[in-house]
Amino acid sequence: MELTVGPNQFFWPAETWAAFYDDLARSPVDRVVLGELVCSKRLPFYQDRIPEAISRLVEAGKEVALTSLALVTLKRERKLTAELAEMGVMVEINDLTALAHLPGTCTFTVGPLVNVYNEGTLKWLAARGARRVCFPPELPVASVKTLAQAASDLGVAIEIWGHGRLPLAISGRCYHARLHGRSKDNCQFACEDDPDGLDVLTGDGKPFMAMNGVQTLSDSYACTDHQIDLLKQVGISALRLSPQSGGFHQLCELYRKRIDGDLPQGELERALRGADPDIRLSDGFLTGSCGAEWSGASKAASISV
């Protein structure tokens, strides 16, 4: 099982962004998806760093892909999407409109924001040129098994969201701007103040979700420590780790050890909680009754594949 690092969902200073990918080149991951997923207004701040980051990652032996935007609404965003195919690396689509800008013979990968929920969709994407699909994180393990078997017949590699705040929705409105009394066009990049998203609380002060510009994320961090062996059995090719601002290199090492069998089940969870006692973990989409649930070993161990 491989490790993929998905695109950074947050807005970081250009120097922080570049340093993250320099460090990632030395991490035990196999594949990296980079570029702007959430808001095209962020891209100019680090766009000139992307070619160097690609070169460094390729030299380090990593496969590299560039993500499309999750929501394309403007003419300049359509132009940016069309230019992705000219960068000389694989393109990952997170919005089906991106397909209109890829040459018909071009192979591509599919990110978790595309709703691949059944065999028909998977077959259509494979016929169009998809060679790898990261399933939406809300699929239960029974559905993952069925789709993984179909993907194997189609020659398509399958990824599962392995760790990180889960992407729940993309909007035309910017929550961060509105919170600060600003319009979306005059947001002044308020999201930069929250490098891992801004916690949203309920009226009685309980964690509910997180905001990230125009994106809504889960409050909890998905963690597949207790499902890795199960996912191997159903034919998953890779786990996807979502970038976070602190301790990501160590996180990659933990998941690599867990996948390779050098870290017993449960030790990854304990390491995460030891590093941050306040962290809220979830794995309910895969093996629980609801997405925000932490079923851990209790339910994962009882599921037969």
Side-chain angles (χ1 to χ4, degrees):
M1 183 181 280
E2 297 177 334
L3 281 178
T4 293
V5 176
N8 178 29
Q9 301 184 95
F10 308 105
F11 184 31
W12 297 346
E15 293 77 14
T16 302
W17 187 95
F20 175 84
Y21 287 102
D22 281 348
D23 194 39
L24 200 58
R26 298 184 291 273
S27 295
V29 301
D30 304 284
R31 190 168 173 275
V32 179
V33 185
L34 63 149
E36 187 53 51
L37 173 70
V38 176
C39 178
S40 63
K41 291 179 66 177
R42 302 171 177 179
L43 185 58
F45 288 87
Y46 65 88
Q47 190 171 16
D48 61 334
R49 309 289 186 104
I50 291 178
E52 182 179 350
I54 291 174
S55 296
R56 191 175 296 273
L57 289 165
V58 170
E59 288 171 2
K62 318 298 184 189
E63 292 183 40
V64 177
L66 284 170
T67 182
S68 73
L69 283 166
L71 183 63
V72 178
T73 60
L74 304 173
K75 183 177 180 180
R76 63 177 174 81
E77 292 173 345
R78 293 197 298 272
K79 184 174 183 293
L80 286 170
T81 303
E83 290 172 350
L84 289 175
E86 302 171 4
M87 292 293 290
V89 296
M90 187 74 76
V91 175
E92 176 170 288
I93 65 165
N94 274 289
D95 180 348
L96 286 181
T97 61
L99 289 178
H101 303 286
L102 296 180
T105 57
C106 181
T107 58
F108 58 90
T109 65
V110 180
L113 302 190
V114 176
N115 293 338
V116 183
Y117 293 145
N118 55 63
E119 299 97 314
T121 301
L122 194 59
K123 185 176 181 180
W124 183 86
L125 287 167
R128 180 61 177 78
R131 293 296 174 263
R132 177 181 291 262
V133 174
C134 181
F135 286 152
E138 62 267 26
L139 287 174
V141 72
S143 298
V144 168
K145 178 184 177 182
T146 299
L147 289 173
Q149 290 173 341
S152 178
D153 295 338
L154 294 167
V156 174
I158 294 299
E159 293 182 3
I160 287 293
W161 190 276
H163 188 95
R165 277 187 154 162
L166 295 156
L168 301 179
I170 289 284
S171 172
R173 297 180 181 272
C174 180
Y175 309 117
H176 256 100
R178 190 169 185 175
L179 177 68
H180 291 274
R182 305 166 189 166
S183 67
K184 182 180 177 182
D185 290 339
N186 187 35
C187 66
Q188 299 176 43
F189 302 98
C191 57
E192 188 176 13
D193 296 333
D194 300 293
D196 292 296
L198 177 64
D199 290 340
V200 178
L201 307 180
T202 62
D204 55 356
K206 295 181 180 178
F208 177 50
M209 60 178 64
M211 69 169 69
N212 173 38
V214 298
Q215 184 185 39
T216 304
L217 298 163
S218 65
D219 159 70
S220 61
Y221 287 73
C223 172
T224 50
D225 179 12
H226 297 284
Q227 288 79 23
I228 284 176
D229 297 328
L230 193 62
L231 294 171
K232 285 181 179 179
Q233 290 179 49
V234 301
I236 299 307
S237 302
L239 288 184
R240 176 170 292 219
L241 311 181
S242 185
Q244 59 190 47
S245 64
F248 193 73
H249 183 89
Q250 292 76 16
L251 182 75
C252 294
E253 291 181 333
L254 285 170
Y255 270 93
R256 183 72 270 163
K257 289 178 180 178
R258 176 70 182 89
I259 289 171
D260 292 345
D262 298 327
L263 198 66
Q265 179 177 321
E267 287 301 316
L268 195 158
E269 175 197 347
R270 279 188 276 275
L272 294 175
R273 296 192 188 281
D276 181 3
D278 296 323
I279 192 171
R280 294 174 292 277
L281 300 176
S282 63
D283 59 8
F285 279 131
L286 279 171
T287 54
S289 58
C290 67
E293 182 178 310
W294 176 246
S295 60
S298 60
K299 289 191 178 180
S302 65
I303 292 177
S304 174
V305 294

